[in-house]
């Protein structure tokens, strides 16, 4: 076999096999490194979302401003996040038909803040309730909650299981009230895959992403700590050393 033929065969083998394998291997390593970087950013975004400071154990009112032909929904939530009263109303009739009942509820439940979900009518809702509070001489913070997970919760399995008899707008009103109290507690009710944490969330390895998000959740819960006298089961079970069975046993005992 001539030297030229061997050299040609070697070049063909190098170009057709070795280079291809090396290129594929380089692309694989680059993709894996890129995914690790994206997953790290997504986990950090979740951690920041969970660790946002809340109002604490204070009774609040959550309002879904409605849209189009849908009326507004109102939910009064006590300091432990329990729904006490809910109702729907038309915004244009709020000052005439709702004002007395609204002010009486503030007095009875010691409401300390009002959370209004972001929406087309949110500004008008805030202005209407501020006018009623000013007329009654009751200064009270009215906050706009621009949190997309409120819509996720209202139609999620967790929302339907907790409030099967409520419509999605009322569930959203409950969510924004609770979100104002403690973002961590309400976000943990949702599957992390439903949270919009950043770009390329659905393009990375979903198993690795799920593990990273679970680690971020557990680290956040253990960083903040929980009060075992009030924490719900879905928060207690995230504490290091506690399983779901342990968490349920604590709730049953208390």
């Amino acid at each position: 076999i001539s030297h030229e033929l061997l050299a040609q065969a070697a070049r063909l083998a190098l170009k057709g096999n070795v280079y291809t394998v090396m290129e594929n291997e380089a692309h694989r390593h680059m993709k894996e490194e890129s995914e690790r970087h994206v997953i790290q950013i997504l986990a950090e975004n979740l951690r920041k979302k969970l660790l946002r400071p809340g109002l604490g154990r204070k009774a609040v009112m959550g309002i879904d401003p409605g849209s189009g032909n849908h009326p507004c929904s109102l939910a009064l939530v006590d300091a432990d996040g329990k729904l006490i009263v809910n109702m729907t109303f038309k915004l244009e009739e709020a000052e005439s038909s709702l004002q007395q009942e609204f002010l009486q509820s503030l007095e009875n439940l010691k409401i300390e803040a009002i959370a209004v979900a972001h929406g087309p009518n949110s500004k008008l809702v805030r202005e209407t309730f501020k006018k009623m509070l000013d007329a009654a001489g009751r200064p009270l913070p009215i906050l706009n909650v621009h949190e997309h997970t409120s819509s996720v919760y209202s139609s999620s399995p967790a929302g339907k299981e907790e409030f099967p008899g409520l419509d999605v707008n009322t569930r959203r009103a409950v969510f924004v009230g609770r979100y104002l109290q403690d973002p961590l507690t309400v976000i943990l009710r949702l599957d992390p895959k439903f949270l919009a944490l950043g770009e390329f969330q659905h393009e990375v390895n979903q198993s690795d992403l799920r593990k990273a998000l679970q680690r971020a959740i557990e680290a956040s819960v253990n960083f903040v700590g929980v009060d075992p006298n009030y924490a719900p089961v879905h928060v207690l079970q995230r504490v290091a050393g506690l399983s779901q069975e342990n968490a349920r046993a604590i709730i049953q005992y208390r």
Side-chain angles (χ1 to χ4, degrees):
I1 302 175
S2 66
H3 171 75
E4 291 78 9
L5 188 60
L6 288 172
Q8 185 179 1
R11 281 194 296 271
L12 288 174
L14 185 66
K15 184 177 180 180
N17 296 296
V18 178
Y19 280 174
T20 302
V21 171
M22 291 176 63
E23 186 178 19
N24 290 341
E25 190 69 10
H27 285 168
R28 185 179 67 81
H29 280 291
M30 291 172 65
K31 183 176 184 295
E32 289 177 352
E33 184 60 33
S34 299
E35 284 196 352
R36 277 195 293 269
H37 180 66
V38 170
I39 288 172
Q40 183 180 358
I41 291 175
L42 295 174
E44 178 62 18
N45 289 347
L46 176 59
R47 191 188 72 85
K48 290 178 180 178
K49 184 184 284 287
L50 293 172
L51 295 181
R52 288 175 182 171
L55 193 64
R57 293 189 66 249
K58 300 181 186 298
V60 301
M61 176 182 292
I63 300 175
D64 178 272
S67 59
N69 296 325
H70 291 92
C72 302
S73 297
L74 180 151
L76 300 178
V77 182
D78 70 8
D80 298 328
K82 182 181 178 181
L83 175 62
I84 303 300
V85 177
N86 67 276
M87 62 181 297
T88 59
F89 63 94
K90 293 182 178 180
L91 187 56
E92 59 272 17
E93 301 173 1
E95 291 186 64
S96 58
S97 62
L98 184 68
Q99 184 164 3
Q100 187 59 41
E101 190 173 354
F102 165 65
L103 295 174
Q104 191 62 49
S105 298
L106 296 183
E107 185 64 33
N108 293 343
L109 297 174
K110 308 300 181 187
I111 298 294
E112 299 192 43
I114 298 174
V116 181
H118 182 73
N121 297 328
S122 57
K123 182 178 180 181
L124 189 56
V125 168
R126 294 197 307 273
E127 291 174 349
T128 300
F129 278 80
K130 186 177 184 304
K131 190 184 299 182
M132 287 193 285
L133 290 169
D134 289 344
R138 293 288 305 277
L140 204 65
I142 303 177
L143 306 170
N144 188 45
V145 178
H146 193 175
E147 177 52 46
H148 83 280
T149 45
S150 62
S151 299
V152 175
Y153 171 80
S154 62
S155 56
S156 71
K160 294 175 182 177
E161 180 182 356
E162 187 175 13
F163 300 113
L166 298 184
D167 59 86
V168 293
N169 292 344
T170 305
R171 291 189 202 127
R172 191 175 183 220
V174 175
F175 182 95
V176 295
R178 289 174 170 176
Y179 186 86
L180 187 62
Q181 293 173 324
D182 184 5
L184 183 147
T185 301
V186 293
I187 292 176
L188 286 190
R189 292 180 184 274
L190 302 172
D191 189 320
K193 69 182 180 182
F194 294 124
L195 305 177
L197 301 171
E199 293 184 273
F200 313 113
Q201 178 176 335
H202 304 292
E203 298 179 29
V204 298
N205 185 291
Q206 294 301 298
S207 177
D208 292 343
L209 175 62
R210 193 177 306 110
K211 291 175 183 176
L213 295 182
Q214 292 299 338
R215 286 195 297 268
I217 288 172
E218 291 174 4
S220 299
V221 171
N222 287 283
F223 175 77
V224 174
V226 301
D227 186 340
N229 295 301
Y230 302 103
V233 65
H234 67 276
V235 175
L236 277 174
Q237 68 187 26
R238 303 287 187 176
V239 176
L242 289 184
S243 63
Q244 187 178 52
E245 290 73 19
N246 297 144
R248 293 188 184 281
I250 289 173
I251 290 177
Q252 185 177 2
Y253 176 78
R254 78 190 187 197

